[in-house]
Amino acid sequence: MDPKEVLSNHLELCNGVYKVLLEENTWLKTKKSSPSNEILDRKKEMLPMLENSLQNLKKLKPEFFSPFDNTKKLVNDSHSRLLQIFYLDRENEELLLKVGQSTERQTFNRFDTPPEEIDKIHNRTLHEFKAIKKDIK
């Protein structure tokens, strides 16, 4: 098994996965709905190919690598692409959660109370607590 070929195929597959995830990301951001079945089907098709590619990578041994070819660059390029895939996949998951929520939930702002109001409440509660503590003594 030629490491250069395995790495090249893996990088090509990673580029394909990234392309589909980028398309999904664009869909989620522009249409604000779940991705089309076509995108989901392409992702499902790629999963077994990705698992097969990972199995091929695991079979590689250091002694198979030549110090004179570009396998190190292929490894670095694959690693960089995988990091991009992980980042984009996480973003897509967050977007999917958001589009799956009701409109009320999407626009909910937990911190709509201004900081000054929170300080007033906190100080009032602190003074009440001190007064209660003083009465107990």
Side-chain angles (χ1 to χ4, degrees):
M1 185 170 284
D2 179 36
K4 188 175 178 182
E5 182 182 339
V6 171
L7 290 167
S8 293
N9 291 341
H10 184 70
L11 180 58
E12 186 178 320
L13 181 59
C14 287
N15 287 333
V17 169
Y18 182 77
K19 184 179 175 188
V20 172
L21 289 176
L22 196 56
E23 188 176 336
E24 179 184 44
N25 186 271
T26 303
W27 179 286
L28 290 166
K29 286 180 176 179
T30 57
K31 305 210 187 242
K32 298 191 185 329
S33 66
S34 296
S36 69
N37 285 334
E38 190 255 333
I39 292 174
L40 297 176
D41 289 342
R42 283 193 288 151
K43 284 175 67 175
K44 285 178 188 175
E45 286 174 16
M46 291 183 143
L47 189 58
M49 293 188 297
L50 192 57
E51 287 179 12
N52 185 42
S53 181
L54 291 173
Q55 289 301 320
N56 288 337
L57 285 172
K58 288 179 184 179
K59 292 176 188 174
L60 295 178
K61 296 184 176 157
E63 57 268 16
F64 294 161
F65 289 86
S66 167
F68 305 109
D69 61 13
N70 67 342
T71 53
K72 185 172 179 146
K73 182 182 180 336
L74 290 171
V75 168
N76 288 336
D77 290 348
S78 295
H79 183 255
S80 295
R81 183 57 80 189
L82 282 172
L83 290 176
Q84 292 171 331
I85 287 170
F86 293 146
Y87 177 80
L88 191 56
D89 190 48
R90 179 188 290 175
E91 184 178 337
N92 288 354
E93 285 179 12
E94 290 171 1
L95 288 169
L96 274 169
L97 285 173
K98 191 172 182 179
V99 300
Q101 295 172 346
S102 68
T103 309
E104 284 178 11
R105 181 74 176 136
Q106 289 179 29
T107 58
F108 175 72
N109 183 1
R110 163 177 325 173
F111 303 109
D112 58 351
T113 306
E116 300 80 27
E117 186 70 25
I118 293 172
D119 283 344
K120 265 199 268 183
I121 293 168
H122 178 70
N123 287 332
R124 184 183 68 211
T125 307
L126 184 62
H127 292 304
E128 289 171 2
F129 176 74
K130 286 180 180 178
I132 292 170
K133 190 176 174 184
K134 195 180 209 182
D135 290 344
I136 293 175
K137 288 184 179 182

